[in-house]
Amino acid sequence: MARIFDHGHKSTLALRRRKGFLLQQIDVPADLLRASVVERVGRCGKATCRCHHGGAMHGPFYYLTQCLAVGKMNKFLLKTEEQQMSARVGVEHFHVLQEQMEELSQINAELLRRGERLLPE
Ligand SMILES: [Zn+2]
């Protein structure tokens, strides 16, 4: 669900200024990732291992998961700490961009509702 920005009570001038600010801020990060990093612990295949007898589980392991379509998930192990860090940063960069685009979209919807132009003349 999108975050709701409360723009309805702002003046059209204030909305246009906020829009200008957002357009200056928006930059597509080269490392963006629309994905999640998930942490898992698990049991191994050895029946005699501690993990099957109340001992500590293996892990944590970190996976990148990316939903491509309903029921179609791209998922793989992030083996190194560098991969894990790159994934976390890329996911964060995606969320920042997504939030900025969402706010821009909501401002544009409000401007349209007021009968304003969305593009400069
Ligand atoms: Zn085990």
Side-chain angles (χ1 to χ4, degrees), residues 36-40 61-65 75-78:
S36 301
V37 176
V38 296
E39 184 183 315
R40 290 283 181 270
F61 302 106
Y62 297 93
Y63 294 86
L64 185 126
T65 64
K75 177 180 176 182
F76 59 88
L77 180 66
L78 298 163

Side-chain angles (χ1 to χ4, degrees), residues 40-53:
R40 290 283 181 270
V41 292
R43 293 190 174 90
C44 69
K46 283 191 284 180
T48 56
C49 182
R50 61 181 158 83
C51 67
H52 290 276
H53 302 281

